[in-house]
Amino acid sequence: STQVLRKVSERLGGLEPIINQICEISCSPGLSIGVLHHGEVIHKVNYGYRDIAAKTPPGSDTLYSINSMTKALTAAAVGVLVEDGLLRWDTPVHTILPDFGKGHGEIGRKMTIVDLLSHRSGVISPDTFFFQDYNEVLLRRGQEIETFNYANQEGFFRASFIYSNFGYGVAGLVVEKLSGMEFGCYLRTKIFDPLHLERTTTDDVSNDDNFGVSYCVLEDRELYPVPPPKVKSETALEGAAGVKSTVNDLLHLYQVFMETCNTQIQLQSTCTDGSPFKQCPTLIKAHNSMEGSTLREHAYGLGWVRCQLPGVLGKLGINGRLQMDLPTVGVGGTSRLRLYHEGLMPGSTTNVYTFPERMTAIVVLQSAVALNDCPDWISQLLVETVFDVPQRNDFIQLAQGSAKRMLALVPSMASKLSSERVENTRPSLDLGQYVGRYFNPIKTFFVEVTQQADESISEICRRFRAAPRRIQRRVEHVVHLADTARLIEQHYSLQTTNLKTQVRSTLELAKSLSAISISKENEILAKLDQLEKEKSSLLLCISLVHMDLLGDIQGGVGKLVTGHVAKMPERQDSQKLQVVDIESSASKRFQTSSNEKPKQRSETESMLRDQVKGLSVKDEVTSNPQKGNLEHQFTDIIELICRADKTPNEAREYEDDTNDKPTPWNYHHSYEKNSSECTAWQMNGDASGRERSGLSSKHRYKDVTARGFSRQFNGNINDPEMLKTFLA
């Protein structure tokens, strides 16, 4: 009656101080609440902010990611397919998706859609690396199948409850395959539009004007904004957690769902006129018993947890994972069946409790991960208040205890790891040998191990501040080289043994500088000369094994592999960037006298061209002296790339002022942005080897006239064969 609803509404309104206190204890930025009772909306209220910085409060039309509350809608979509005759509940999934189940033998061939939707496959869900930093989803749409196939069979088939996001991801793919529509489009067509849910979608809504900003809580209880969950049509697991909605839309959706469930159960039917929900008796039926013994029902249906009050709730959320004793809700009250589900993703926690017999639904949405499952505590408080349970739980005390456990969780993990550490031991290999990417067998996940720069390298320049300027400059050049080697070691796949050896050799030589006294100038110079030789070998390794370094500069942006990373400004197509290699390390083969015969020069150049053509892109550096000239050519080309954003004055800083010896081979490098895939390169040089009077260090920048050698490369700079031919 109206009087009963008014009393319930008054009781709910009196909870405001308690809810505010729970939110404060939990460090909740804000949330939205909606309560439906006896089929009518009797309570809607919002707390805190949806955007703390802008101090914008949430509303009943504020969009939230509903996370795993999506699972009930995925199961409902499958129910529509079953009703339309496109699928049977006992149809093996592999008959729809042929690649499904591989790796699980006969069990994989027997798995049905019900096995996936009720979490009874026994296959674990590899969720640990599901999300990357900033909520980026690591898996592409369609990779659910291979990941599910790869996951271990940890439980008994159809006799264990193992929650699986990937099972629901596969169910979403089944919907797409049988309907011929994208999953989100199918939900829109079959469920959202018939219910007139204008603000419920699987699309990216992060730019919506009324979307809750996501937050996480730091150990000092400060709220820190994070990107929202990014599960969508382009990513994996849309069927597990891809829906976004509002309190207003969800209250209407659950109202129609409960009405349809009641009607179909009473009439023993699977379809109700005017309702988009089909096969409801199967959707809410207990298909899999959940862990833990109890005198009352606690099972999983299809997208819903079934439990009977009085009973323990919230087993799927954060509170259920904090190793605390969860309270029994509804003690002293009437036994009632409740269907519920929780939702959790980084930056978002949500909850829905429904009581179909009483046409009651409670929705709590929060765009944050607080110090506990704040929406769950509030939902349980609302349940006891709506049904006026005689024996109430102290949810303020429960919020305090769970927040304390959460704050102690990370330090306890660190303590556990520390206690298991064996003192006075070292890794069996050099730390640098652990650097790299480690993939799982199906290449869907990888862990990347990097190594920070050794302090001895970063301190080299500082140690040599008191040295003569000519030494300082050479030391700076060496430090850039060492940092280049470190970056290569961290960010490029070292596919060949010689390249790995070269990188480590360069790093060790650079570090050895710090052990030399500044006063021992000759020893320092000898070490620098040694490093100059390392430079040629290292850069040849880079050029031969990683031609993509050249490709990094296409499109007007240079990704420089020196001691730093810099970007060239975007240039108009009519503009050109011209840089002169002011000190080429040309081979002695080209440092011939002015009276060398043209025939000899021609034979030399021809031999070099043949040597380059015989090289493979994956060739390794060797000690073969015949390849020495090629090292210098590759060195000069890559040095030009690394200096491409420097003015001549800046480039001059790399040179030794005392070295005024003319160079017989100068390159003029021209970069022109022709298109996103086509880049023009030009090398001009004097191949005759004759010294020219104007090429002192002071005038070398101005003299870029070609004599005897001029070649231009126009083509895709990512094509190793084209580039190799040009260098020849």
Side-chain angles (χ1 to χ4, degrees):
S1 67
T2 303
Q3 186 176 3
V4 171
L5 294 179
R6 184 171 63 250
K7 288 183 178 180
V8 175
S9 179
E10 290 174 354
R11 290 200 301 268
L12 293 173
L15 296 176
E16 182 175 349
I18 299 175
I19 293 176
N20 274 324
Q21 196 168 351
I22 292 174
C23 289
E24 182 179 356
I25 293 168
S26 307
C27 294
S28 170
L31 43 78
S32 296
I33 297 172
V35 178
L36 180 83
H37 192 47
H38 290 300
E40 295 186 27
V41 177
I42 63 170
H43 187 68
K44 291 192 294 187
V45 64
N46 301 276
Y47 292 86
Y49 300 107
R50 67 172 176 85
D51 186 338
I52 295 175
K55 296 191 180 301
T56 307
S60 298
D61 279 324
T62 296
L63 277 166
Y64 295 87
S65 293
I66 68 171
N67 314 317
S68 287
M69 289 162 58
T70 299
K71 290 179 172 63
L73 297 173
T74 300
V78 174
V80 176
L81 293 173
V82 173
E83 186 68 23
D84 290 344
L86 298 176
L87 174 72
R88 290 172 53 91
W89 290 115
D90 59 358
T91 300
V93 176
H94 83 90
T95 63
I96 304 167
L97 303 172
D99 290 335
F100 175 80
K102 295 179 179 179
H104 295 293
E106 186 64 23
I107 290 177
R109 289 187 290 274
K110 289 182 177 180
M111 285 184 193
T112 66
I113 194 69
V114 171
D115 295 326
L116 299 183
L117 296 179
S118 61
H119 304 295
R120 68 185 192 189
S121 69
V123 178
I124 63 170
S125 186
D127 294 334
T128 306
F129 300 111
F130 177 14
F131 288 102
Q132 181 62 280
D133 290 343
Y134 297 103
N135 255 333
E136 295 292 340
V137 181
L138 295 178
L139 297 180
R140 301 185 308 276
R141 174 183 178 182
Q143 286 189 302
E144 296 97 329
I145 295 176
E146 57 183 326
T147 306
F148 187 93
N149 292 346
Y150 163 70
N152 291 333
Q153 184 89 25
E154 295 288 341
F156 292 108
F157 180 51
R158 295 179 182 167
S160 60
F161 177 82
I162 297 181
Y163 193 87
S164 175
N165 282 309
F166 285 87
Y168 269 83
V170 172
L173 298 178
V174 169
V175 171
E176 292 187 337
K177 181 67 177 292
L178 294 179
S179 68
M181 303 169 63
E182 290 188 356
F183 177 75
C185 183
Y186 189 78
L187 287 181
R188 165 64 58 193
T189 303
K190 296 296 185 177
I191 298 177
F192 301 161
D193 283 349
L195 292 176
H196 306 290
L197 306 180
E198 297 180 357
R199 289 182 62 75
T200 302
T201 181
T202 60
D203 296 336
D204 182 3
V205 297
S206 56
N207 293 323
D208 190 275
D209 292 337
N210 192 7
F211 180 66
V213 176
S214 292
Y215 296 92
C216 286
V217 183
L218 304 180
E219 60 182 354
D220 60 359
R221 305 178 72 91
E222 178 185 356
L223 284 162
Y224 187 82
V226 297
K230 297 180 181 179
V231 177
K232 51 188 177 182
S233 60
E234 295 84 3
T235 70
L237 303 183
E238 186 183 17
V243 175
K244 297 87 179 173
S245 190
T246 69
V247 164
N248 280 338
D249 274 7
L250 291 176
L251 288 177
H252 178 56
L253 183 147
Y254 295 132
Q255 178 187 28
V256 175
F257 177 72
M258 290 188 293
E259 287 176 347
T260 306
C261 287
N262 288 329
T263 299
Q264 291 182 10
I265 289 174
Q266 291 172 5
L267 299 178
Q268 296 185 2
S269 66
T270 59
C271 181
T272 303
D273 292 341
S275 172
F277 295 106
K278 315 297 180 182
Q279 300 280 324
C280 287
T282 301
L283 295 179
I284 67 172
K285 176 184 175 181
H287 293 275
N288 191 13
S289 178
M290 297 180 68
E291 295 179 359
S293 58
T294 175
L295 294 176
R296 298 181 179 86
E297 182 181 4
H298 202 156
Y300 201 90
L302 304 183
W304 291 99
V305 178
R306 285 175 58 101
C307 66
Q308 200 166 4
L309 297 186
V312 175
L313 310 177
K315 288 189 174 182
L316 298 181
I318 297 176
N319 297 333
R321 306 176 192 181
L322 290 176
Q323 297 181 352
M324 62 181 299
D325 293 330
L326 296 176
T328 300
V329 176
V331 176
T334 303
S335 178
R336 293 183 175 88
L337 174 68
R338 183 177 79 160
L339 304 175
Y340 79 94
H341 216 288
E342 294 157 289
L344 169 65
M345 284 199 293
S348 178
T349 43
T350 56
N351 200 292
V352 57
Y353 291 166
T354 67
F355 298 83
E357 294 173 285
R358 287 297 189 94
M359 285 294 294
T360 299
I362 296 170
V363 176
V364 183
L365 308 178
Q366 174 184 254
S367 57
V369 172
L371 293 179
N372 51 40
D373 197 338
C374 179
D376 189 41
W377 291 141
I378 292 174
S379 294
Q380 295 185 32
L381 171 66
L382 294 172
V383 167
E384 293 191 339
T385 303
V386 166
F387 295 112
D388 200 17
V389 176
Q391 299 181 35
R392 308 285 183 91
N393 287 288
D394 187 344
F395 289 100
I396 292 177
Q397 184 177 358
L398 288 165
Q400 290 172 335
S402 54
K404 184 177 179 180
R405 284 178 176 271
M406 179 65 80
L407 287 171
L409 186 61
V410 173
S412 67
M413 292 169 61
S415 299
K416 183 176 184 296
L417 291 173
S418 179
S419 66
E420 295 174 350
R421 182 176 182 178
V422 181
E423 298 293 337
N424 301 317
T425 58
R426 295 180 61 82
S428 57
L429 301 175
D430 182 82
L431 291 180
Q433 297 189 47
Y434 295 101
V435 171
R437 288 183 175 180
Y438 297 84
F439 287 83
N440 66 347
I442 59 171
K443 306 292 185 182
T444 53
F445 294 118
F446 70 84
V447 175
E448 184 167 17
V449 179
T450 60
Q451 184 179 8
Q452 293 182 344
D454 295 309
E455 188 173 355
S456 55
I457 291 178
S458 62
E459 293 293 323
I460 290 176
C461 289
R462 189 175 302 173
R463 289 191 67 253
F464 282 89
R465 283 178 180 174
R469 181 58 182 159
R470 59 192 178 87
I471 292 181
Q472 284 187 44
R473 289 175 176 173
R474 292 191 66 185
V475 169
E476 289 170 2
H477 199 43
V478 165
V479 170
H480 285 311
L481 177 65
D483 277 344
T484 299
R486 179 178 58 81
L487 287 172
I488 295 166
E489 187 177 49
Q490 289 185 6
H491 299 294
Y492 287 85
S493 175
L494 304 186
Q495 298 173 349
T496 63
T497 303
N498 281 348
L499 181 54
K500 294 179 182 179
T501 303
Q502 190 66 57
V503 166
R504 297 309 306 165
S505 173
T506 302
L507 288 171
E508 292 302 322
L509 275 172
K511 288 189 291 184
S512 67
L513 269 175
S514 60
I516 304 174
S517 172
I518 297 178
S519 61
K520 297 181 179 180
E521 185 172 319
N522 291 336
E523 192 173 342
I524 292 171
L525 291 174
K527 185 67 68 175
L528 290 172
D529 289 340
Q530 189 178 357
L531 276 159
E532 284 296 323
K533 296 179 181 178
E534 289 286 324
K535 170 183 167 183
S536 296
S537 298
L538 177 64
L539 289 176
L540 177 58
C541 283
I542 301 169
S543 60
L544 292 178
V545 182
H546 297 287
M547 283 294 187
D548 60 313
L549 290 180
L550 297 174
D552 283 340
I553 70 163
Q554 68 179 356
V557 179
K559 188 174 182 181
L560 308 184
V561 190
T562 52
H564 61 287
V565 176
K567 291 185 178 180
M568 287 194 297
E570 290 285 353
R571 304 173 190 280
Q572 300 298 323
D573 288 352
S574 60
Q575 292 181 309
K576 290 186 178 181
L577 177 67
Q578 296 184 342
V579 180
V580 178
D581 180 14
I582 55 180
E583 185 65 19
S584 165
S585 301
S587 166
K588 292 182 180 180
R589 191 183 299 270
F590 286 126
Q591 294 178 355
T592 57
S593 62
S594 59
N595 59 1
E596 182 182 8
K597 295 180 180 180
K599 183 178 179 181
Q600 291 175 324
R601 292 200 307 272
S602 176
E603 290 175 351
T604 299
E605 294 168 12
S606 177
M607 181 179 66
L608 285 175
R609 281 195 293 270
D610 291 341
Q611 289 173 355
V612 176
K613 290 178 181 178
L615 287 174
S616 166
V617 175
K618 292 187 177 181
D619 278 345
E620 302 173 341
V621 177
T622 71
S623 58
N624 187 343
Q626 291 185 340
K627 293 188 179 180
N629 299 302
L630 301 178
E631 295 179 14
H632 293 297
Q633 294 182 45
F634 278 108
T635 297
D636 294 330
I637 294 298
I638 293 183
E639 282 185 332
L640 286 170
I641 297 170
C642 294
R643 297 180 185 180
D645 68 331
K646 290 180 168 54
T647 65
N649 286 335
E650 290 173 326
R652 186 187 290 113
E653 289 298 313
Y654 285 90
E655 296 307 310
D656 187 344
D657 287 344
T658 63
N659 186 3
D660 289 331
K661 181 180 179 180
T663 179
W665 193 338
N666 289 278
Y667 292 129
H668 168 256
H669 166 65
S670 173
Y671 167 81
E672 180 178 2
K673 179 183 176 185
N674 294 328
S675 71
S676 62
E677 295 184 354
C678 185
T679 309
W681 291 85
Q682 184 173 325
M683 290 191 304
N684 302 323
D686 182 4
S688 68
R690 289 177 293 180
E691 297 183 2
R692 290 183 289 170
S693 58
L695 292 179
S696 68
S697 60
K698 296 181 180 179
H699 303 92
R700 196 170 298 142
Y701 307 111
K702 298 179 181 178
D703 192 339
V704 296
T705 304
R707 289 190 60 194
F709 180 80
S710 180
R711 292 289 304 278
Q712 180 166 326
F713 169 64
N714 292 291
N716 187 347
I717 204 163
N718 282 326
D719 188 332
E721 293 301 322
M722 294 179 67
L723 187 62
K724 184 174 65 176
T725 302
F726 168 66
L727 292 176

